[in-house]
Amino acid sequence: MKKQAISLLSIFLVFIFHSYAQVSERTISYLLDDSAVKQGHAGVSVFDVATNKYIYNYQADKFFIPASNQKIFTLYAGLKYLGDSLVTATIYQTKDYCIVVPNGDPSFLNPEFNYQPLLNILKNTDKQIVVLDDNWQDSPLGKGWMWDDYADEFSAERSAMPVFKNVASIGGSNKNPSVSPAYFLGEVNWNADRKYFQTTSQSHRDLYSNRFYTNSGSVGVQAFPFLTMNGKTNVEILNDVLKKDIQYNTMALPKNIPADSILQIKSIPAMDLYTPMMHKSDNFFAEQTLLMASNTALGKMNDHAIADRILSTDFRDIPQQPQWIDGSGLSRYNLCTPQSLVYALNKLQQEFGMEKMKEIFPTGGEGTISNYYQEIRGKIFAKTGTMSDNSAFSGYLISKQNKLLIFSVMVNNYQKGGRSIRLAIEKFLLGVWREN
């Protein structure tokens, strides 16, 4: 009888043990005892949605550089303000003018998207086209971006009216060039002297101008951000595409334009922007998403202003107020805590639904986690964040017992071992998945 009682107590304790989400010391050791992780600083937060409680925190209220985990905040801004389809521009028609007020849509003249409604309207109008961007109140480069990334595709400049993702693709040879947009064809110096190069690459862009150099008779295509000159270059490229004389910011918006002469031009579904933003960690899409959200909510494109709006309203009860600097996470001035990322992820699934999150975030074997989490494909949906000496990984985990957990793991200031850290995080999360 005594043995039976002990047995029943054991069963009860096992039931209790498995009824409440938990993280074992062994699973914790997979992460915190990893030699690469121990070089730096780590923070972890794991939250059970059903019980509305944290099941594990380690330095979860400390601030870390999130890298591309910053896009989680940007995603909220986009979903909150941009609706189902992106507004590419507003057109004001007068007797003589077709006035275009752009909305920061990165799909415009983007080779990745065939649907170009604004381009078709501008092609077919007989009126004088004028581009006004008084709503642009930001800078082409984000605060705290690394200056020497200027020639890397991931660091494309921001603008009110992006074209070709604000990058130029340069390749081929002098006799058989492959240059897009064609506007830059005359700006390529083929077989240039090596003094123009700062890297071992076969192609390069000048720091101060839209001048490109190659040091070989024929080179593979490489993409470089071009200098937008606060939108002036973009209008010149559009002018070259349309073969029209487009005026830029040369007049005030006329007053009392009839409502039926004002057209809001919509382009792609917003999901077509968010999915590559999170799967591929597309920095440019993230930056423009935040600017579009700002324009929609505030009537101006300014990332600081929209961040302040969201932090003071929707995120007013966030556990620790983040330092929200840009949309992509390129800035090392961004700071947030694991708990604040868990909060943002919880808000996303509460307000927009978990099914939508499953569409937007990559699962095991997809996007930036294509080589990880194969064992729990369809059970994890998360965003990576990677920068020199900094790694972060935050998202949703559907546990073995079908519990929805939200997690954030951040490791900063290690000297080497990025892959080792990613593997340690994977081992930790697989342990969390099994135990809950």
Side-chain angles (χ1 to χ4, degrees):
M1 187 71 180
K2 189 175 181 181
K3 287 183 178 179
Q4 186 179 7
I6 293 172
S7 178
L8 288 171
L9 178 62
S10 299
I11 292 170
F12 177 73
L13 289 174
V14 169
F15 173 77
I16 292 294
F17 184 83
H18 288 290
S19 294
Y20 295 92
Q22 58 198 306
V23 182
S24 70
E25 290 298 322
R26 181 182 180 184
T27 291
I28 293 168
S29 71
Y30 293 150
L31 178 68
L32 298 185
D33 290 344
D34 179 82
S35 59
V37 173
K38 288 172 76 172
Q39 292 177 18
H41 307 286
V44 186
S45 185
V46 185
F47 181 82
D48 187 326
V49 172
T51 63
N52 198 38
K53 293 180 179 179
Y54 296 104
I55 65 170
Y56 180 65
N57 280 313
Y58 174 76
Q59 299 195 136
D61 60 348
K62 305 300 182 185
F63 286 88
F64 295 84
I65 296 171
S68 282
N69 270 202
Q70 190 70 27
K71 294 181 176 73
I72 292 169
F73 295 112
T74 298
L75 176 64
Y76 182 87
L79 288 169
K80 175 76 176 181
Y81 290 108
L82 297 184
D84 293 333
S85 298
L86 302 183
V87 174
T88 194
T90 301
I91 289 181
Y92 299 83
Q93 302 272 12
T94 69
K95 180 182 177 182
D96 300 313
Y97 296 98
C98 175
I99 304 168
V100 181
V101 178
N103 190 48
D105 178 9
S107 76
F108 182 55
L109 284 180
N110 184 335
E112 297 174 18
F113 301 100
N114 293 324
Y115 185 52
Q116 296 290 329
L118 176 59
L119 181 65
N120 292 332
I121 290 171
L122 299 181
K123 277 182 179 178
N124 294 322
T125 185
D126 293 327
K127 298 178 179 180
Q128 172 66 60
I129 299 171
V130 179
V131 175
L132 296 182
D133 66 354
D134 289 344
N135 53 346
W136 172 253
Q137 296 183 23
D138 219 312
S139 60
L141 299 177
K143 182 180 178 182
W145 289 13
M146 301 294 286
W147 75 266
D148 56 350
D149 289 341
Y150 79 91
D152 293 314
E153 185 179 5
F154 64 76
S155 193
E157 292 190 359
R158 312 175 297 190
S159 66
M161 189 181 68
V163 294
F164 295 87
K165 289 192 74 174
N166 286 356
V167 298
S169 297
I170 309 296
S173 65
N174 190 21
K175 293 182 178 179
N176 188 25
S178 177
V179 178
S180 178
Y183 171 83
F184 292 114
L185 187 58
E187 299 299 323
V188 182
N189 186 345
W190 306 94
N191 298 308
D193 191 283
R194 284 297 302 176
K195 68 181 181 180
Y196 293 108
F197 294 79
Q198 296 179 4
T199 70
T200 57
S201 173
Q202 289 186 317
S203 303
H204 198 62
R205 198 209 86 198
D206 182 61
L207 174 60
Y208 302 108
S209 70
N210 286 321
R211 186 68 176 162
F212 304 89
Y213 303 94
T214 73
N215 70 334
S216 175
S218 181
V219 296
V221 175
Q222 188 173 348
F224 300 97
F226 59 76
L227 288 168
T228 60
M229 306 296 186
N230 269 314
K232 185 172 182 284
T233 304
N234 302 59
V235 173
E236 290 175 354
I237 291 171
L238 178 60
N239 182 72
D240 187 64
V241 169
L242 294 175
K243 306 304 179 187
K244 293 185 177 184
D245 181 20
I246 300 172
Q247 296 179 14
Y248 176 55
N249 206 23
T250 58
M251 60 185 291
L253 187 65
K255 297 179 180 180
N256 303 318
I257 297 177
D260 59 0
S261 296
I262 302 174
L263 304 174
Q264 196 175 70
I265 312 302
K266 292 191 174 184
S267 60
I268 62 171
M271 290 290 285
D272 288 354
L273 185 67
Y274 304 144
T275 302
M277 181 175 92
M278 304 307 276
H279 279 235
K280 300 178 183 178
S281 203
D282 192 303
N283 292 329
F284 185 66
F285 284 176
E287 291 298 333
Q288 296 299 137
T289 293
L290 192 59
L291 290 169
M292 285 189 291
S294 178
N295 199 45
T296 301
L298 305 172
K300 61 182 178 181
M301 297 186 203
N302 183 277
D303 52 8
H304 179 75
I306 189 61
D308 278 356
R309 160 68 73 90
I310 293 173
L311 291 176
S312 63
T313 55
D314 302 281
F315 285 16
R316 59 184 174 274
D317 57 347
I318 196 168
Q320 299 86 25
Q321 281 275 321
Q323 186 165 287
W324 185 348
I325 302 299
D326 66 10
S328 63
L330 279 173
S331 175
R332 287 182 179 263
Y333 294 151
N334 289 307
L335 289 172
C336 65
T337 69
Q339 284 184 345
S340 64
L341 281 165
V342 165
Y343 172 93
L345 287 160
N346 199 25
K347 288 274 285 185
L348 281 165
Q349 67 88 18
Q350 285 177 337
E351 295 186 23
F352 308 107
M354 192 59 210
E355 292 307 308
K356 182 164 282 190
M357 297 306 104
K358 289 179 181 179
E359 286 185 65
I360 294 173
F361 286 82
T363 188
E366 293 180 350
T368 55
I369 53 173
S370 59
N371 296 319
Y372 301 89
Y373 303 97
Q374 302 278 3
E375 182 180 337
I376 53 174
R377 180 180 176 86
K379 301 295 182 181
I380 188 168
F381 302 89
K383 180 74 193 76
T384 56
T386 305
M387 185 180 282
S388 297
D389 312 323
N390 295 285
S391 290
F393 192 53
S394 305
Y396 307 95
L397 183 65
I398 302 170
S399 75
K400 199 169 185 179
Q401 295 185 44
N402 209 36
K403 296 177 181 179
L404 178 58
L405 307 178
I406 301 176
F407 66 87
S408 178
V409 183
M410 309 182 79
V411 185
N412 280 187
N413 299 340
Y414 53 87
Q415 290 189 342
K416 58 182 179 179
R419 175 162 169 78
S420 176
I421 286 171
R422 289 188 287 275
L423 289 171
I425 294 172
E426 180 181 37
K427 198 171 182 180
F428 167 77
L429 289 173
L430 287 173
V432 173
W433 175 78
R434 283 191 296 267
E435 293 169 354
N436 290 277

